């Protein structure tokens, strides 16, 4: 049985009428473009319907929620404007769901520039709360009805255009798992990310570590301090070249404590 698929594309100041071709979208799509106008456009690309919403607003979490609330396909695939899908990607995604009917969500591999790589999937497996913090949203594909039934949304506090740095993807995935969705990973590469300047990363500075502490409070709860220590120890060779390990850990702890209501 064929499943209807929709790509949910989050974009900023893009020409939406050329985006489907540039991204090689192989199914229907909902495109939310954050810009300086409020306009709706719709067009057809290779037989697929592209519904394009332009909003005069900012925030990647808001953009993704606008996509998700309008999704009505059997499967939804989250995407960014700088993703280019491989030929046959849509079929490859659908095939993994056919092979694993228990999966509510499957995370896929993506070819990413080395300096931006945060994850790599080389085996099939289940994703749990303690190892869900490294997967980007563009790796997510899910059964749309399951997401709607669980009433999950992206945080408006984290990510590009929000108060705190990245983390909306990890929080969304953790919420899916907490609400009982079965999340799996598949070593199937579906496309590549074209490198672009980050909208939030400006080096391993004080804001980076403080914001990471705030994120860990929401993501790990009582285990936040332990996970912060684990994170820093694992990446200290890269992240602590210009800032001492102890200072970085202190900033993460400050972020965790502040969100617990204990102001410094």
């Amino acid at each position: 049985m064929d499943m209807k698929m929709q790509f949910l594309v989050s974009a900023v100041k893009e020409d939406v009428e050329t985006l489907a071709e540039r991204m090689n979208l192989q199914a229907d799509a909902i495109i939310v473009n954050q810009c300086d106008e409020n306009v709706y456009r719709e067009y057809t690309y290779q037989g697929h319907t592209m519904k394009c919403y332009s909003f005069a607003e900012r925030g990647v979490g808001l953009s993704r929620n606008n996509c998700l609330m309008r999704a009505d396909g059997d499967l939804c695939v989250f995407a960014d404007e700088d993703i280019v899908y491989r030929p046959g990607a849509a079929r490859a995604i659908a095939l993994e769901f056919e092979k694993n009917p228990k999966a509510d969500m499957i995370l896929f591999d993506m070819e990413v520039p080395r300096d931006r790589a945060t994850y790599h999937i080389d085996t099939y497996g289940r994703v749990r709360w303690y190892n869900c913090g490294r997967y980007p949203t563009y790796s997510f594909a899910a059964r749309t009805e399951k997401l709607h039934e669980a009433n999950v949304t992206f945080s408006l506090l984290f990510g590009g255009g929000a108060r705190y740095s990245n983390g909306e993807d990890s929080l969304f995935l953790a919420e899916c798992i907490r609400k009982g969705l079965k999340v799996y990973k598949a070593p199937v590469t579906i496309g590549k990310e074209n490198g672009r300047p980050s909208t939030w990363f400006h080096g391993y500075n004080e804001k980076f570590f403080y914001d990471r502490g705030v994120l860990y409070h929401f993501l790990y709860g009582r285990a936040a301090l332990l996970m912060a220590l684990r994170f820093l120890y694992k990446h200290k060779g890269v992240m602590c070249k210009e800032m001492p390990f102890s200072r970085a850990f202190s900033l993460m702890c400050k972020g965790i404590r502040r969100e617990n209501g204990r102001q410094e």
Side-chain angles (χ1 to χ4, degrees):
M1 177 178 171
D2 290 337
M3 292 182 281
K4 179 185 176 184
M5 182 182 297
Q6 285 177 317
F7 288 90
L8 307 184
V9 183
S10 179
V12 178
K13 294 185 177 181
E14 282 289 336
D15 178 359
V16 295
E17 294 185 14
T18 65
L19 202 55
E21 182 178 6
R22 283 185 281 140
M23 294 180 66
N24 192 26
L25 297 180
Q26 301 154 31
D28 292 350
I30 297 173
I31 300 171
V32 170
N33 185 39
Q34 296 193 344
C35 54
D36 299 314
E37 60 179 358
N38 295 293
V39 177
Y40 177 76
R41 298 180 180 89
E42 187 174 311
Y43 66 96
T44 300
Y45 173 71
Q46 295 188 349
H48 306 300
T49 301
M50 305 291 130
K51 297 181 178 180
C52 309
Y53 298 84
S54 293
F55 294 128
E57 59 190 23
R58 295 293 184 273
V60 67
L62 183 60
S63 176
R64 296 202 194 283
N65 287 338
N66 275 323
C67 284
L68 181 56
M69 68 186 289
R70 293 172 169 83
D72 58 5
D74 300 307
L75 299 176
C76 58
V77 181
F78 291 91
D80 290 334
E81 64 196 41
D82 60 345
I83 299 298
V84 179
Y85 288 95
R86 289 183 171 182
R91 180 58 190 149
I93 293 168
L95 182 61
E96 290 302 318
F97 280 95
E98 292 172 7
K99 288 164 51 179
N100 189 356
K102 293 182 179 180
D104 299 315
M105 179 184 290
I106 299 177
L107 312 185
F108 291 87
D109 212 10
M110 191 74 68
E111 183 183 340
V112 180
R114 180 168 302 198
D115 61 340
R116 293 176 58 87
T118 60
Y119 82 112
H120 176 67
I121 300 173
D122 53 13
T123 60
Y124 286 95
R126 188 81 177 266
V127 178
R128 306 287 186 174
W129 70 269
Y130 52 81
N131 64 356
C132 72
R134 60 196 180 97
Y135 297 98
T137 310
Y138 57 66
S139 70
F140 301 175
R143 300 186 193 274
T144 307
E145 186 175 0
K146 290 293 185 178
L147 296 183
H148 288 168
E149 286 176 355
N151 193 31
V152 289
T153 58
F154 286 87
S155 172
L156 303 184
L157 282 176
F158 293 85
R163 178 178 179 182
Y164 301 112
S165 305
N166 72 324
E168 79 289 345
D169 39 17
S170 300
L171 290 169
F172 181 81
L173 195 53
E175 184 180 8
C176 288
I177 294 170
R178 280 197 295 267
K179 291 193 172 181
L181 273 66
K182 296 180 177 63
V183 181
Y184 292 82
K185 58 179 181 174
V188 177
T189 302
I190 57 175
K192 69 174 183 178
E193 180 200 38
N194 289 326
R196 62 175 177 177
S198 175
T199 59
W200 65 268
F201 181 71
H202 303 291
Y204 298 111
N205 53 25
E206 292 197 355
K207 177 173 174 53
F208 173 88
F209 292 111
Y210 176 81
D211 287 2
R212 181 62 54 135
V214 178
L215 171 64
Y216 274 31
H217 161 76
F218 287 107
L219 192 58
Y220 297 119
R222 292 181 179 179
L225 286 173
L226 181 61
M227 296 300 282
L229 188 62
R230 174 179 175 270
F231 168 78
L232 277 178
Y233 185 79
K234 181 178 180 181
H235 300 287
K236 63 180 180 179
V238 174
M239 297 183 178
C240 298
K241 289 181 177 179
E242 298 184 9
M243 181 180 295
F245 182 98
S246 58
R247 176 58 177 162
F249 184 59
S250 175
L251 286 164
M252 289 191 70
C253 291
K254 183 178 179 181
I256 294 168
R257 289 195 299 269
R258 183 172 294 271
E259 288 307 316
N260 272 319
R262 299 198 294 273
Q263 302 294 324
E264 296 294 324

